[in-house]
Amino acid sequence: MEIKLAKEMGMCFGVRDTLKFIDEAGQSRQRIDTLGTLVHNPQLVERLSKRGVEVVGGLDSVSAPTVAVTAHGAAPDVYRRAELSGLELLDTTCPLVTRVQQLAKRLMEEGNWVIVYGDAPHPEVIGILGWANSVFEERGAGAEAHDGVEGGTPSNDTPSPHGMSESGIKPKSKISKFGARRAICAKSVEEIEAALIADGTPAAKIRRIALISQTTQNTEWFKEFVRDVVSRFLEHGTEVHAHNTVCLPTAKRQPAAVDLAKEVDVMVVVGGYESANTRHLRDIAAEFCPAYHIERPEQLEEAWFQGVKTVGVTAGASTPDYVIKEVVDALEDMGGKLAVGA
């Protein structure tokens, strides 16, 4: 059985930078609590725990004096609450995620309904929605919101580009009478329309829509989503603007996984089960051959490789090199041989 490796796979620069930042911060701190899993890889989480970096579910669960926002980012309110609580906050948000957060906020300020194509429970999506929807939370009482709905008028009460004061603390909000969401997560036209119905806003009244994507989504799936939205909303005269915010590491790993899946009998995808980009690698590979998503080498099953001549290996953007090597070693123990030049 020949083992072939994807040309692009494994840990991206954003995850490496996050780990380096936390490692350096940990040298002068006894403990750091992270708001959720720092990176979606169980082996790395276990290693970090041994160094005093512990995962907590939210700010209410923090017991350390220092708290870290994960690589997936967070909503502005998290930063404000952390500072008001007197916590030292370390921001390890991937710069590519930060770019999407600021884009979402700007698009909202320009009067668009912002639609985030992504997985609703994912922390990155929650953070992006928070940055966009915070525009309305910050408006003064009675201010009219230019909300991408016919008849809306721009407000002169515009927040700062980052939603923060010069001190880095988001100013206390005056919630206006207009409290409806204007940024939502959706993966289909039907989900968008359901959100509009729940909001009491007729689709025919929407004047401007901006589409962005969670950074780790599949580019082809996002393109199909854009086509569907354009087809549905142009009939109402709605402006639809699409922004491809899938990050470059994801954009490189996915076609590499497809190319490999087309030439092997079985694919093994290595990475955390929480990792969205790893799950998507498995999903796209499975369109061409049997594909298995594992976190650890001991999860490999010999039955998967009965009669198999070639097996491909790829890995998610938070999977360290040593874990990939452990999987390859385990495949070699099953009789595999690494392809020349792999």
Side-chain angles (χ1 to χ4, degrees), residues 81-332:
R81 288 178 57 206
E83 257 198 269
L84 291 176
S85 299
L87 295 168
E88 178 190 25
L89 190 142
L90 306 177
D91 190 357
T92 74
T93 305
C94 172
L96 299 180
V97 174
T98 298
R99 180 176 66 88
V100 181
Q101 292 173 340
Q102 294 180 356
L103 173 63
K105 189 171 184 69
R106 176 174 63 79
L107 291 169
M108 182 69 77
E109 290 171 339
E110 292 172 352
N112 295 281
W113 268 73
V114 176
I115 314 298
V116 183
Y117 179 81
D119 302 316
H122 196 281
E124 179 188 330
V125 173
I126 294 171
I128 293 169
L129 293 176
W131 280 94
N133 284 319
S134 68
V135 171
F136 292 92
E137 294 171 1
E138 292 166 8
R139 295 189 187 278
E144 294 294 330
H146 181 45
D147 53 18
V149 179
E150 189 173 41
T153 56
S155 166
N156 293 323
D157 185 17
T158 304
S160 67
H162 305 293
M164 301 288 182
S165 67
E166 291 182 1
S167 65
I169 303 176
K170 176 181 166 184
K172 290 185 178 180
S173 303
K174 292 182 179 180
I175 306 300
S176 74
K177 61 183 179 182
F178 186 83
R181 296 176 306 163
R182 285 298 176 268
I184 60 174
C185 176
K187 297 187 84 170
S188 68
V189 169
E190 291 74 20
E191 289 182 2
I192 297 174
E193 292 180 330
L196 293 175
I197 291 171
D199 184 66
T201 304
K205 291 288 186 179
I206 301 299
R207 298 295 81 193
R208 300 178 66 182
I209 286 179
L211 306 176
I212 61 178
S213 175
Q214 180 182 353
T215 60
T216 54
Q217 286 293 320
N218 180 284
T219 304
E220 293 303 316
W221 298 344
F222 178 60
K223 287 164 60 176
E224 183 177 350
F225 173 71
V226 171
R227 286 192 289 267
D228 290 344
V229 174
V230 169
S231 176
R232 175 67 179 89
F233 282 89
L234 281 189
E235 66 185 65
H236 300 309
T238 306
E239 291 183 24
V240 181
H241 302 269
H243 302 261
N244 181 7
T245 53
V246 175
C247 71
L248 185 59
T250 295
K252 286 183 175 181
R253 282 158 180 73
Q254 289 176 354
V258 168
D259 290 343
L260 185 56
K262 289 179 178 179
E263 62 180 73
V264 299
D265 300 319
V266 173
M267 282 286 288
V268 174
V269 183
V270 188
Y273 292 142
E274 288 185 87
S275 168
N277 74 88
T278 306
R279 292 197 304 271
H280 296 149
L281 287 174
R282 184 267 167 198
D283 291 342
I284 61 176
E287 296 178 12
F288 303 96
C289 68
Y292 302 97
H293 179 181
I294 64 170
E295 290 186 324
R296 306 172 187 274
E298 54 266 31
Q299 293 172 320
L300 292 168
E301 298 183 20
E302 292 193 13
W304 298 345
F305 310 108
Q306 295 296 321
V308 168
K309 293 182 179 179
T310 55
V311 56
V313 177
T314 189
S318 55
T319 308
D321 295 342
Y322 77 88
V323 175
I324 299 172
K325 184 179 184 306
E326 289 174 353
V327 170
V328 172
D329 290 344
L331 288 170
E332 289 180 327

Side-chain angles (χ1 to χ4, degrees), residues 21-22 32-36 38 53 56 62 66-70 88-92:
F21 181 85
I22 287 296
I32 299 172
D33 286 347
T34 67
L35 299 176
L38 190 68
V53 180
V56 297
V62 171
T66 303
V67 63
V69 169
T70 74
E88 178 190 25
L89 190 142
L90 306 177
D91 190 357
T92 74

